[in-house]
Amino acid sequence: MTAPTKNKKLLSWVDEVKAMCKPERVVWCDGSKTEYDRLMSEMVASGMAIKLNEEKRPGCYAFNSDPSDVARVENRTYIASLKESDAGPTNNWIDPVELKKTMTGHYDGCMRSRTMYVIPFSMGPISSPIAKIGVQITDSPYVVCNMHLMTRVSNKVLELLGDAGEFIPCLHSVGAPLNPGQRDSHWPCAPIEQKYIAHFPEENLIWSYGSGYGGNALLGKKCLALRIASSMACREGWMAEHMLILRFTNPQGRKFHIAAAFPSACGKTNLAMLQSNVPGWKVETIGDDIAWMKPGPDGRLYAINPEAGFFGVAPGTSVKTNPMALATCSKNSIFTNVVVTDELDVWWEGMDVECTGGTDWKNKPWKPGLKDPNGHEVKGAHPNSRFTAPAHQCPVLCEDWESSAGVPIDIFVFGGRRSTTMPLVHEAFNFDHGVFLGATTASEPTAAALDAQHLRFDPFAMTPFIGYHVGDYFAHWLKMGDKLGNKAPRCFYVNWFRKDSKGKWLWPGYGDNSRVLKWMCERVEGKVGAEETPIGLMPKDGDLDLSGLKITAEDWRELMKVDKHLFRETLNDVREYLAKIGHKLPHRIMEQYEALKKRID
Ligand code: GTP
Ligand code: SPV
Ligand code: MN
């Protein structure tokens, strides 16, 4: 196949990788439907993909991963900056020369008997001034098809690149070469100790080896759009954040744009597609996972969604919780690690529809209520099972979602999953305090990463995604605030996940979260006041719209309670955590800590 480009850097990189990985052939991808359909039929033929029922799920396919390859692997993810001190205490660091040597050893011959695909893609609308061009090399046709949905794969990207344009090289292999005549596995990958998700921030280079799973393998997403982009953003004066973006329009037609950072599997997709319960207020989706933001000519902060699709958590997604996500993945979508029913449709825990049986994510016959030999219920879908769906299928997608200028952000929301301590909502006193709230966000573990097991600090929901030193990252947030001045977004902190002493959710969540967003917008408009508490500004009685909601006065009090005793305990953890950041921790963060300590004592 002749290369559809004359870009020198690209051609020589492809030659170099080909010589190292030794694939059987090289295919340049064009992002067309023909290409997608061809790869899918090849994967159906090889047993890797299952074609779903054309009447129930038109254009859809299901995949089951290897049981070891179901989520991101944070302890195999590396920031290989030249200096260890530039990676900071929250990242794994290896010397880039040493890491390249080790990985080159693995890459040598790793694509034997496989096809090497070259995927030119754009993060952000092609030719938008905020967009970035990447080229991913991979030996996984599953990755190619997912990249088609999640990014903009097209020959137009190569045209734009021209002969001398710059791109971010993203090298990926599942790390499973085939011997002549060897039958391929249904999900080739390498054992955990051979997996590497590596970033070379000074070179804008990504090398990933051994995993076929989403965040480890779709390199435009976490690797490029967050880790590499965050380090570019810090150098260049913009922001790359793990945030959803939504438009909330009030009954008078005023549009508010909200960007919210919650850790993995803590509610971004759900909030981004929320069906508002407050009459007259409407949510439209712009993005569900990543926001790239730059100050605009008017001094406000403008955000774009660099992705073109959603890679959403399946379990818990139902007509009641997130009907818009279900509609989005009703056709032309890819499902990974869900139940394939006897009718060749999909099913997962919390889908809220009946399932008579099928095949579980481990390719075993399965029925609801199935128990293992120890009497434990066997889950049909993996807790981190996912759907991949094109954004344009979302019924509430905002008409401006591809605007190359982006949308002006009015409100930042931070939060995590906390069964205790954190109230439903509070507002920061000012932007510095907002940065402190973001910086000290903590969350309980979820299934999105294999190795997070305890309540952990997850500043700005970015712990696994900051491509450089966390102290410099906090400083960058403060600097952005200084630059934006009184045009900086207002900062809020939410917790949808507080429980009572019996373990019951205190807040109904989902659509009812619109009530909280409405209060935030009314704060921005100056329509409602707030009560000053030691931790921040909270809604006054009656200001947060609870009309029509069945919540007892007692539950409401519990949900909004600020227990000074619990906060004092948390403060000790905060101090220890901040101390670990070392001398790069900005003074202004410590000032916020001291001020909070005074208010709590
Ligand atoms: P990533 O794609 O991993 O970055 O996750 P995300 O932040 O987009 O998470 P998502 O919206 O998919 O939510 C993950 C889980 O949280 C799902 O099981 C949801 O059902 C659940 N969830 C989302 N919003 C709420 C809420 O308001 N209340 C409760 N109780 N659960 C929620
Ligand atoms: C997350 O884990 O935050 C995700 C899924 O959004 S993944 O793309 O796999 O990282
Ligand atoms: Mn995410």
Side-chain angles (χ1 to χ4, degrees):
M1 189 172 182
T2 52
T5 178
K6 290 200 174 70
N7 187 286
K8 284 204 188 66
K9 176 180 159 187
L10 178 53
L11 287 171
S12 69
W13 179 59
V14 168
D15 277 347
E16 222 174 89
V17 172
K18 187 180 160 201
M20 174 167 74
C21 300
K22 307 181 179 63
E24 193 170 288
R25 67 182 80 79
V26 176
V27 168
W28 288 77
C29 298
D30 61 12
S32 65
K33 183 167 184 316
T34 319
E35 176 175 275
Y36 186 90
D37 292 345
R38 175 173 53 79
L39 292 176
M40 280 297 187
S41 7
E42 285 172 16
M43 287 189 282
V44 170
S46 77
M48 192 181 183
I50 301 161
K51 167 92 181 86
L52 296 173
N53 185 321
E54 192 55 29
E55 255 134 57
K56 294 180 190 284
R57 295 275 156 187
C60 290
Y61 297 85
F63 291 79
N64 288 327
S65 80
D66 186 274
S68 68
D69 203 28
V70 292
R72 284 183 294 99
V73 281
E74 294 182 6
N75 57 8
R76 306 297 308 167
T77 300
Y78 297 92
I79 300 298
S81 43
L82 295 173
K83 287 196 291 191
E84 177 166 11
S85 57
D86 288 339
T90 56
N91 284 310
N92 296 311
W93 179 84
I94 313 187
D95 172 68
V97 176
E98 185 192 322
L99 181 58
K100 278 189 182 170
K101 203 170 137 207
T102 311
M103 288 187 76
T104 303
H106 288 301
Y107 278 130
D108 186 13
C110 71
M111 295 186 185
R112 194 168 58 234
S113 298
R114 296 193 183 279
T115 303
M116 173 174 130
Y117 301 94
V118 184
I119 317 167
F121 65 94
S122 174
M123 297 309 288
I126 295 175
S127 83
S128 147
I130 309 188
K132 298 262 177 261
I133 292 178
V135 180
Q136 177 159 353
I137 290 181
T138 181
D139 53 5
S140 163
Y142 166 85
V143 165
V144 178
C145 290
N146 275 275
M147 289 293 285
H148 271 226
L149 304 184
M150 293 304 298
T151 73
R152 289 144 175 111
V153 178
S154 158
N155 276 336
K156 278 193 228 140
V157 172
L158 292 179
E159 277 165 37
L160 190 66
L161 200 55
D163 293 355
E166 277 301 315
F167 65 94
I168 297 166
C170 309
L171 171 55
H172 172 251
S173 169
V174 294
L178 289 169
N179 291 319
Q182 185 184 342
R183 219 185 112 83
D184 202 359
S185 137
H186 76 282
W187 184 278
C189 63
I192 183 88
E193 66 282 1
Q194 283 173 31
K195 291 190 207 301
Y196 290 88
I197 321 299
H199 308 74
F200 304 91
E202 286 99 350
E203 287 178 78
N204 290 341
L205 174 68
I206 299 160
W207 278 13
S208 166
Y209 184 88
S211 170
Y213 168 78
N216 303 331
L218 311 177
L219 303 186
K221 199 174 175 58
K222 299 294 152 93
C223 301
L224 190 162
L226 287 178
R227 297 195 192 95
I228 293 294
S230 66
S231 91
M232 293 172 91
C234 180
R235 296 193 294 261
E236 297 166 5
W238 52 286
M239 306 170 92
E241 298 295 331
H242 193 204
M243 285 178 168
L244 67 92
I245 311 166
L246 66 83
R247 171 179 289 174
F248 201 33
T249 308
N250 75 10
Q252 292 72 46
R254 176 159 173 193
K255 300 177 175 104
F256 298 88
H257 294 103
I258 302 180
F262 308 143
S264 303
C266 290
K268 288 183 299 304
T269 305
N270 279 269
L271 192 67
M273 299 180 186
L274 170 144
Q275 292 290 93
S276 168
N277 282 353
V278 268
W281 291 72
K282 185 178 75 175
V283 167
E284 290 165 287
T285 313
I286 294 166
D288 84 326
D289 199 46
I290 299 176
W292 282 358
M293 295 173 286
K294 249 185 202 170
D298 61 358
R300 299 181 69 191
L301 188 66
Y302 283 78
I304 70 156
N305 168 14
E307 302 191 276
F310 306 121
F311 184 60
V313 176
T317 308
S318 73
V319 173
K320 278 198 206 117
T321 58
N322 195 349
M324 294 305 121
L326 269 192
T328 307
C329 64
S330 63
K331 56 184 182 188
N332 308 320
S333 298
I334 299 172
F335 296 87
T336 307
N337 288 340
V338 302
V339 172
V340 175
T341 68
D342 292 332
E343 298 79 41
L344 290 180
D345 197 358
V346 290
W347 189 89
W348 47 73
E349 278 72 20
M351 195 187 208
D352 216 18
V353 296
E354 228 189 299
C355 173
T356 52
T359 308
D360 69 7
W361 72 276
K362 289 182 171 167
N363 278 325
K364 299 246 166 64
W366 182 88
K367 259 203 190 78
L370 181 74
K371 302 248 167 41
D372 70 12
N374 300 324
H376 298 132
E377 192 142 327
V378 177
K379 286 206 162 123
H382 187 275
N384 191 41
S385 53
R386 301 255 167 182
F387 58 83
T388 319
H392 63 80
Q393 289 183 183
C394 176
V396 290
L397 193 66
C398 178
E399 60 178 0
D400 291 328
W401 84 283
E402 293 193 282
S403 144
S404 63
V407 295
I409 298 299
D410 301 284
I411 291 170
F412 277 142
V413 184
F414 310 120
R417 192 178 276 266
R418 294 293 300 273
S419 42
T420 65
T421 319
M422 281 307 197
L424 178 66
V425 61
H426 63 289
E427 184 186 351
F429 294 117
N430 51 49
F431 198 82
D432 267 28
H433 184 225
V435 173
F436 178 76
L437 294 183
T440 55
T441 297
S443 193
E444 285 148 21
T446 71
L450 281 182
D451 25 32
Q453 261 145 27
H454 307 282
L455 174 74
R456 69 163 177 184
F457 285 98
D458 190 353
F460 299 90
M462 281 287 280
T463 298
F465 310 121
I466 305 169
Y468 56 104
H469 196 296
V470 61
D472 290 333
Y473 171 79
F474 291 171
H476 182 54
W477 262 90
L478 291 166
K479 203 164 138 193
M480 290 302 294
D482 294 342
K483 187 160 169 186
L484 294 162
N486 63 7
K487 290 180 177 155
R490 291 268 282 269
C491 299
F492 296 82
Y493 192 103
V494 301
N495 179 21
W496 315 138
F497 299 95
R498 193 153 174 178
K499 291 180 176 170
D500 68 9
S501 54
K502 295 189 192 79
K504 182 185 79 125
W505 302 119
L506 282 164
W507 177 248
Y510 303 104
D512 286 309
N513 295 337
S514 54
R515 299 167 186 276
V516 179
L517 299 188
K518 177 188 169 192
W519 179 73
M520 294 174 184
C521 294
E522 291 183 341
R523 285 288 298 150
V524 169
E525 275 188 300
K527 279 192 183 158
V528 294
E531 200 161 301
E532 209 165 301
T533 78
I535 64 163
L537 302 163
M538 292 180 69
K540 290 193 166 145
D541 268 352
D543 275 352
L544 200 145
D545 189 347
L546 296 177
S547 48
L549 189 68
K550 285 197 201 91
I551 182 167
T552 64
E554 197 188 340
D555 277 359
W556 177 251
R557 235 178 295 122
E558 191 59 27
L559 182 64
M560 297 302 277
K561 192 165 148 190
V562 177
D563 182 330
K564 279 196 172 189
H565 180 69
L566 283 179
F567 266 92
R568 255 178 241 134
E569 274 174 30
T570 303
L571 267 183
N572 287 331
D573 300 337
V574 169
R575 195 194 46 227
E576 253 174 53
Y577 172 71
L578 294 177
K580 277 192 209 136
I581 294 175
H583 74 280
K584 285 197 174 186
L585 179 75
H587 283 298
R588 280 154 72 183
I589 299 281
M590 275 321 281
E591 280 162 23
Q592 288 295 328
Y593 166 83
E594 297 296 345
L596 172 61
K597 192 162 176 289
K598 260 202 204 121
R599 294 193 302 264
I600 294 280
D601 274 341

